[in-house]
């Protein structure tokens, strides 16, 4: 049985904690969870940390994060006393990009923005996923129209890894209720209208009638906006 089929056979969509335990048991030392410290990230990290599930939690520090993101990172370490592995972009690649194009080249074109995302996020992610079998994410279908038809378990061809989205079918209200019920530290920017939080220069608050991803790369004139971490057709 391949990894994807095995994961599908052992998870319970209605019970993410038991599913995470089952996946960790089936793939010892081969399961990782990526967090950016948003609501979904904090909810899933709580499930992992509070239940002592042996899944490595990591984050990508792009060097352009909000101060509030670093604060909730610290609060999370204080709360759970568990490590969160940090991956950083290649220093020489960042130096070369900024030297040639300046610190805000991503505003000039989609190509420039994707170049910056690749250096600061995609390449470090590939290092984080190397030699792993399962990548757990905080993706929710409700976040974007591009994610409404995603399966809860899928194969990531770019990274050659199985992906499991434990909160895929949770509503935003369910995530908030879970955070409040468990007194989980969260990013205060959420209270200011920031739903999806990434790098500071590339994120703004959203309006009530906008979807969660509208605040990311808002200056770009297209509806399908991803940084390259999660590539979906």
């Amino acid at each position: 049985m391949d990894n994807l089929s095995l994961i599908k056979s052992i998870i319970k969509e209605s019970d993410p904690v038991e599913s995470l335990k089952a996946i960790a048991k089936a793939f010892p030392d081969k399961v990782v969870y990526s967090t950016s410290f948003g609501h979904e990230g904090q909810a899933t990290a709580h499930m992992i940390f509070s239940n002592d599930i042996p899944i490595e939690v990591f984050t990508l520090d792009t060097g352009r994060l909000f101060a509030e993101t670093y604060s909730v990172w610290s609060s999370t370490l204080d709360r759970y006393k568990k490590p969160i592995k940090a991956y950083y972009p290649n220093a020489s690649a960042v130096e070369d990009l900024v030297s040639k194009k300046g610190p805000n080249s991503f505003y000039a074109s989609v190509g420039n923005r994707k170049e910056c995302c690749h250096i600061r996020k995609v390449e470090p992610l590939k290092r984080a996923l190397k030699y792993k079998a399962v990548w757990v994410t905080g993706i929710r279908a409700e976040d974007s129209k591009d994610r409404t038809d995603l399966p809860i378990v899928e194969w990531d061809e770019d990274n050659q890894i199985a992906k499991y989205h434990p909160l895929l079918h949770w509503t935003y209200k369910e995530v908030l209720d879970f955070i409040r019920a468990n007194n989980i530290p969260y990013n205060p920017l959420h209270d200011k209208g920031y739903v999806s939080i990434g790098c500071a220069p590339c994120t703004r608050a959203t309006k009530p009638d906008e979807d969660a991803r509208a605040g990311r790369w808002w200056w770009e004139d297209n509806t399908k906006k991803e940084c390259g971490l999660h590539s979906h057709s």
Side-chain angles (χ1 to χ4, degrees):
M1 183 181 292
D2 61 55
N3 290 356
L4 210 61
S5 298
L6 176 57
I7 297 167
K8 290 177 180 178
S9 71
I10 62 178
I11 67 166
K12 298 178 180 178
E13 290 198 25
S14 61
D15 196 336
V17 171
E18 290 305 312
S19 297
L20 289 166
K21 288 179 180 178
I23 292 172
K25 183 178 180 180
F27 302 93
D29 302 318
K30 295 290 185 180
V31 186
V32 290
Y33 171 59
S34 57
T35 180
S36 57
F37 303 103
H39 274 144
E40 294 83 1
Q42 292 301 94
T44 308
H46 174 83
M47 294 177 187
I48 294 170
F49 289 150
S50 62
N51 291 282
D52 291 317
I53 303 174
I55 291 176
E56 177 186 291
V57 177
F58 75 88
T59 192
L60 306 176
D61 187 347
T62 64
R64 302 298 297 266
L65 303 180
F66 286 94
E68 290 87 347
T69 301
Y70 290 111
S71 294
V72 75
W73 183 347
S74 294
S75 297
T76 304
L77 294 174
D78 291 341
R79 165 75 183 275
Y80 300 102
K81 310 300 182 187
K82 302 281 189 179
I84 298 173
K85 188 167 184 178
Y87 286 87
Y88 292 86
N90 180 279
S92 61
V94 174
E95 290 170 357
D96 187 55
L97 173 68
V98 176
S99 296
K100 290 179 178 178
K101 297 186 176 182
N104 294 326
S105 61
F106 40 82
Y107 290 131
S109 69
V110 174
N112 276 1
R113 195 268 293 169
K114 289 185 176 180
E115 178 185 25
C116 186
C117 285
H118 183 86
I119 291 171
R120 295 181 184 273
K121 301 171 77 171
V122 177
E123 190 278 329
L125 175 72
K126 290 188 179 299
R127 281 188 270 121
L129 299 181
K130 194 173 184 179
Y131 305 124
K132 302 301 182 181
V134 185
W135 173 18
V136 180
T137 84
I139 283 178
R140 289 187 311 107
E142 191 182 66
D143 276 345
S144 169
K145 294 177 181 178
D146 297 322
R147 296 175 175 177
T148 54
D149 296 323
L150 276 183
I152 197 166
V153 178
E154 63 172 326
W155 178 253
D156 186 318
E157 185 66 27
D158 288 345
N159 293 296
Q160 292 292 296
I161 194 169
K163 293 169 73 172
Y164 169 49
H165 314 301
L167 304 185
L168 185 67
H169 300 304
W170 283 39
T171 65
Y172 191 53
K173 182 180 184 302
E174 286 174 323
V175 175
L176 292 182
D177 289 346
F178 183 82
I179 286 172
R180 290 167 182 151
N182 292 282
N183 195 30
I184 300 171
Y186 70 90
N187 197 320
L189 288 174
H190 287 307
D191 294 333
K192 299 179 180 180
Y194 291 78
V195 182
S196 177
I197 302 172
C199 292
C202 302
T203 308
R204 65 161 172 79
T206 55
K207 300 173 184 177
D209 60 338
E210 293 180 314
D211 70 37
R213 301 288 291 179
R216 305 290 291 275
W217 313 293
W218 69 91
W219 64 90
E220 293 182 6
D221 187 23
N222 65 73
T223 56
K224 188 173 182 178
K225 295 183 288 187
E226 297 283 355
C227 61
L229 296 186
H230 303 286
S231 299
H232 304 114
S233 57

